[in-house]
Amino acid sequence: MRLRQPSLPVSLRVPLLAAAAVFLFVTATTQIALRLAGHRMDLEAERLGRVYLDGLSAAVLPAIRDGGRTALDQVLDRATGFYEGIRERRLVVGTPEGRQVSAAGVGPEPDWLAPFLRGNAGPAWEVSPERDAVWVQRPLKNGAEVIAILAAKLDVSAITRRRQQLRAAMLAFGLAVGVMGGALAALAARHAMRPVLGVTSALDRAGSGHIAPIPEAALPPPGTEAARLAAAFNAMVAHVAERERLTQRLAERERGAVLGRLVGTVAHEVRNPLAGMLTAVESAHAAGDNPVERAEALEMIERGLRQIERVVSSTLAQHRDSGPPRPLKAADLEDLRVLVAPEAARRAVGLDWRATLPSPFPVDAPPLRQAALNLLLNAVAATPAGGRVELEAGVEQDGGLLLAVEDEGPGLPAAARQRLGVGTASQDEARLHEARLGLGLEVVVTIAHRLHARIAVEPGRKGLGNRVALRVPPADPAAIPA
């Protein structure tokens, strides 16, 4: 895994880059100046050597024309040390064929002879590898004829030392100027960035939750880019403050709307078991002294009261069920039929019950009962008189519970499909159907999410209405005691 290297902040990176740029510029300029100065010194040394040969040639030519070896040796001996400021190591005179005729000065160096003794008979300027001596050479002519070759080995060690001293001094000066210039450039960049850094600090505070405009005393000078940036930041802060005020107002309105919806939900969920309980009371009155029917009616009333208690407790706990969970039993499905039957009879809608649950299913039963009851009541409301509503419940091969409700109505509108999470609808359609759909579908979606159930909407098998299916996975048996 490649780790990301931490980067320096802009407030440090820009001054450092400015300092580095100035330092590199000064250093490069110093190097160029040193090279130019060295080249200039080489040219001056070469010119001095050729001037030296000019003077020496005037003294050597008469002796060469006379042909006297002794006179030539004397001229060379007198010339050694004669010129002030020039120190000769060796003077050599030879023939154009490369043969030495006369010499004076320090003994010969076999590793570095005069150029004409190494085959170069023309003008020459050669620097030793140690750069402490040079050979300067010139052919001597009598008219147009070359009669001899004069070569002088000059000591330039003093010039080399002065050159090295100058190079060291210029390098030290260049480094000092580079460091000072870099520091000044860093300070200038930091000063130029100070207004931008002020805006950056304000943005950092805004990021940590302290959103406040930049005070007047800290604003950059007017007319600069930083001033425009600060003005844009202050305008953004003003917009954010206005938006927070609007958000607070909307939140207050939303709280009122949620409270109204909560009241409607409680009333909706309490009314359904109340209808079943009233039916059970009527059945108890009609049963007379029949103990079996009275026991069934009392059991129905008890389950209805527990359902109402659970709805109230769940609402007080912000829709979080705080009661102990219990598995879904076949009796719960029968209760649904009893609860829906009065509304179906009032609308002349038939009920088909295909519920097979041989053993309790490990799922929190009361919320699932609420979801199924809402689907059944919506199906009864959507089915015209003479139609039928069917409930199918059972355990599938994968171990999950299938609970499907099918109606023979006109079909779910787009807004209802959107609430169930199986379609889309425009805002106008959602507002148009919101009042007609009621709160039942919202309760179904909330409970399905809590039980990790999947919702599917399919066409009715008879070509009419819809079939809304809930597929509920089994819960942990340890969390749903029998």
Side-chain angles (χ1 to χ4, degrees), residues 376-391:
L376 287 168
L377 291 175
N378 285 341
V380 170
T383 302
R388 305 195 68 81
V389 171
E390 178 182 291
L391 173 70

PDB file of all heavy atoms in Angstrom, residues 376-391:
ATOM      1  N   LEU A 376     -53.899  -4.624   3.408  1.00  0.00           N
ATOM      2  CA  LEU A 376     -55.257  -5.153   3.216  1.00  0.00           C
ATOM      3  C   LEU A 376     -56.288  -4.030   3.159  1.00  0.00           C
ATOM      4  O   LEU A 376     -57.187  -4.041   2.302  1.00  0.00           O
ATOM      5  CB  LEU A 376     -55.588  -6.130   4.354  1.00  0.00           C
ATOM      6  CG  LEU A 376     -54.872  -7.490   4.286  1.00  0.00           C
ATOM      7  CD1 LEU A 376     -55.046  -8.238   5.596  1.00  0.00           C
ATOM      8  CD2 LEU A 376     -55.422  -8.319   3.125  1.00  0.00           C
ATOM      9  N   LEU A 377     -56.182  -3.058   4.064  1.00  0.00           N
ATOM     10  CA  LEU A 377     -57.151  -1.968   4.054  1.00  0.00           C
ATOM     11  C   LEU A 377     -57.031  -1.134   2.780  1.00  0.00           C
ATOM     12  O   LEU A 377     -58.046  -0.702   2.209  1.00  0.00           O
ATOM     13  CB  LEU A 377     -56.941  -1.083   5.288  1.00  0.00           C
ATOM     14  CG  LEU A 377     -57.306  -1.729   6.634  1.00  0.00           C
ATOM     15  CD1 LEU A 377     -56.951  -0.806   7.781  1.00  0.00           C
ATOM     16  CD2 LEU A 377     -58.794  -2.070   6.674  1.00  0.00           C
ATOM     17  N   ASN A 378     -55.802  -0.889   2.308  1.00  0.00           N
ATOM     18  CA  ASN A 378     -55.634  -0.174   1.041  1.00  0.00           C
ATOM     19  C   ASN A 378     -56.208  -0.977  -0.120  1.00  0.00           C
ATOM     20  O   ASN A 378     -56.813  -0.420  -1.053  1.00  0.00           O
ATOM     21  CB  ASN A 378     -54.152   0.120   0.798  1.00  0.00           C
ATOM     22  CG  ASN A 378     -53.637   1.247   1.664  1.00  0.00           C
ATOM     23  OD1 ASN A 378     -54.421   2.050   2.182  1.00  0.00           O
ATOM     24  ND2 ASN A 378     -52.324   1.311   1.834  1.00  0.00           N
ATOM     25  N   ALA A 379     -56.021  -2.317  -0.102  1.00  0.00           N
ATOM     26  CA  ALA A 379     -56.560  -3.152  -1.177  1.00  0.00           C
ATOM     27  C   ALA A 379     -58.085  -3.144  -1.168  1.00  0.00           C
ATOM     28  O   ALA A 379     -58.727  -3.079  -2.227  1.00  0.00           O
ATOM     29  CB  ALA A 379     -56.021  -4.574  -1.035  1.00  0.00           C
ATOM     30  N   VAL A 380     -58.691  -3.210   0.017  1.00  0.00           N
ATOM     31  CA  VAL A 380     -60.154  -3.163   0.102  1.00  0.00           C
ATOM     32  C   VAL A 380     -60.681  -1.819  -0.394  1.00  0.00           C
ATOM     33  O   VAL A 380     -61.700  -1.750  -1.108  1.00  0.00           O
ATOM     34  CB  VAL A 380     -60.597  -3.439   1.556  1.00  0.00           C
ATOM     35  CG1 VAL A 380     -62.085  -3.152   1.739  1.00  0.00           C
ATOM     36  CG2 VAL A 380     -60.299  -4.881   1.935  1.00  0.00           C
ATOM     37  N   ALA A 381     -59.961  -0.733  -0.032  1.00  0.00           N
ATOM     38  CA  ALA A 381     -60.397   0.592  -0.468  1.00  0.00           C
ATOM     39  C   ALA A 381     -60.270   0.758  -1.973  1.00  0.00           C
ATOM     40  O   ALA A 381     -61.056   1.483  -2.605  1.00  0.00           O
ATOM     41  CB  ALA A 381     -59.591   1.665   0.255  1.00  0.00           C
ATOM     42  N   ALA A 382     -59.292   0.082  -2.609  1.00  0.00           N
ATOM     43  CA  ALA A 382     -59.084   0.238  -4.045  1.00  0.00           C
ATOM     44  C   ALA A 382     -59.971  -0.680  -4.878  1.00  0.00           C
ATOM     45  O   ALA A 382     -60.188  -0.424  -6.062  1.00  0.00           O
ATOM     46  CB  ALA A 382     -57.611  -0.018  -4.377  1.00  0.00           C
ATOM     47  N   THR A 383     -60.491  -1.756  -4.292  1.00  0.00           N
ATOM     48  CA  THR A 383     -61.273  -2.742  -5.051  1.00  0.00           C
ATOM     49  C   THR A 383     -62.736  -2.292  -5.133  1.00  0.00           C
ATOM     50  O   THR A 383     -63.348  -1.944  -4.109  1.00  0.00           O
ATOM     51  CB  THR A 383     -61.185  -4.115  -4.375  1.00  0.00           C
ATOM     52  OG1 THR A 383     -59.800  -4.491  -4.288  1.00  0.00           O
ATOM     53  CG2 THR A 383     -61.949  -5.158  -5.162  1.00  0.00           C
ATOM     54  N   PRO A 384     -63.321  -2.307  -6.328  1.00  0.00           N
ATOM     55  CA  PRO A 384     -64.731  -1.912  -6.448  1.00  0.00           C
ATOM     56  C   PRO A 384     -65.642  -2.982  -5.848  1.00  0.00           C
ATOM     57  O   PRO A 384     -65.230  -4.116  -5.583  1.00  0.00           O
ATOM     58  CB  PRO A 384     -64.928  -1.768  -7.953  1.00  0.00           C
ATOM     59  CG  PRO A 384     -63.890  -2.652  -8.547  1.00  0.00           C
ATOM     60  CD  PRO A 384     -62.719  -2.617  -7.620  1.00  0.00           C
ATOM     61  N   ALA A 385     -66.890  -2.607  -5.624  1.00  0.00           N
ATOM     62  CA  ALA A 385     -67.872  -3.541  -5.066  1.00  0.00           C
ATOM     63  C   ALA A 385     -68.012  -4.736  -5.989  1.00  0.00           C
ATOM     64  O   ALA A 385     -68.055  -4.610  -7.217  1.00  0.00           O
ATOM     65  CB  ALA A 385     -69.223  -2.839  -4.882  1.00  0.00           C
ATOM     66  N   GLY A 386     -68.092  -5.912  -5.371  1.00  0.00           N
ATOM     67  CA  GLY A 386     -68.166  -7.147  -6.133  1.00  0.00           C
ATOM     68  C   GLY A 386     -66.819  -7.763  -6.410  1.00  0.00           C
ATOM     69  O   GLY A 386     -66.757  -8.924  -6.866  1.00  0.00           O
ATOM     70  N   GLY A 387     -65.723  -7.024  -6.190  1.00  0.00           N
ATOM     71  CA  GLY A 387     -64.382  -7.566  -6.406  1.00  0.00           C
ATOM     72  C   GLY A 387     -63.903  -8.345  -5.197  1.00  0.00           C
ATOM     73  O   GLY A 387     -64.587  -8.484  -4.180  1.00  0.00           O
ATOM     74  N   ARG A 388     -62.687  -8.845  -5.281  1.00  0.00           N
ATOM     75  CA  ARG A 388     -62.154  -9.678  -4.218  1.00  0.00           C
ATOM     76  C   ARG A 388     -60.712  -9.238  -3.895  1.00  0.00           C
ATOM     77  O   ARG A 388     -59.977  -8.771  -4.760  1.00  0.00           O
ATOM     78  CB  ARG A 388     -62.174 -11.158  -4.598  1.00  0.00           C
ATOM     79  CG  ARG A 388     -63.547 -11.670  -5.011  1.00  0.00           C
ATOM     80  CD  ARG A 388     -63.593 -13.185  -5.026  1.00  0.00           C
ATOM     81  NE  ARG A 388     -63.489 -13.758  -3.689  1.00  0.00           N
ATOM     82  CZ  ARG A 388     -64.526 -13.860  -2.838  1.00  0.00           C
ATOM     83  NH1 ARG A 388     -65.731 -13.412  -3.184  1.00  0.00           N
ATOM     84  NH2 ARG A 388     -64.352 -14.418  -1.647  1.00  0.00           N
ATOM     85  N   VAL A 389     -60.372  -9.427  -2.622  1.00  0.00           N
ATOM     86  CA  VAL A 389     -59.021  -9.163  -2.117  1.00  0.00           C
ATOM     87  C   VAL A 389     -58.472 -10.468  -1.561  1.00  0.00           C
ATOM     88  O   VAL A 389     -59.176 -11.158  -0.808  1.00  0.00           O
ATOM     89  CB  VAL A 389     -59.024  -8.065  -1.040  1.00  0.00           C
ATOM     90  CG1 VAL A 389     -57.653  -7.968  -0.378  1.00  0.00           C
ATOM     91  CG2 VAL A 389     -59.404  -6.722  -1.636  1.00  0.00           C
ATOM     92  N   GLU A 390     -57.241 -10.786  -1.924  1.00  0.00           N
ATOM     93  CA  GLU A 390     -56.657 -12.067  -1.527  1.00  0.00           C
ATOM     94  C   GLU A 390     -55.405 -11.842  -0.701  1.00  0.00           C
ATOM     95  O   GLU A 390     -54.578 -10.978  -1.006  1.00  0.00           O
ATOM     96  CB  GLU A 390     -56.311 -12.894  -2.765  1.00  0.00           C
ATOM     97  CG  GLU A 390     -55.660 -14.235  -2.437  1.00  0.00           C
ATOM     98  CD  GLU A 390     -55.275 -15.002  -3.688  1.00  0.00           C
ATOM     99  OE1 GLU A 390     -56.188 -15.448  -4.407  1.00  0.00           O
ATOM    100  OE2 GLU A 390     -54.062 -15.120  -3.948  1.00  0.00           O
ATOM    101  N   LEU A 391     -55.265 -12.626   0.387  1.00  0.00           N
ATOM    102  CA  LEU A 391     -54.049 -12.652   1.194  1.00  0.00           C
ATOM    103  C   LEU A 391     -53.385 -14.009   1.032  1.00  0.00           C
ATOM    104  O   LEU A 391     -54.035 -15.048   1.206  1.00  0.00           O
ATOM    105  CB  LEU A 391     -54.345 -12.420   2.678  1.00  0.00           C
ATOM    106  CG  LEU A 391     -53.140 -12.600   3.618  1.00  0.00           C
ATOM    107  CD1 LEU A 391     -52.133 -11.487   3.434  1.00  0.00           C
ATOM    108  CD2 LEU A 391     -53.580 -12.687   5.067  1.00  0.00           C
TER     109      LEU A 391
END
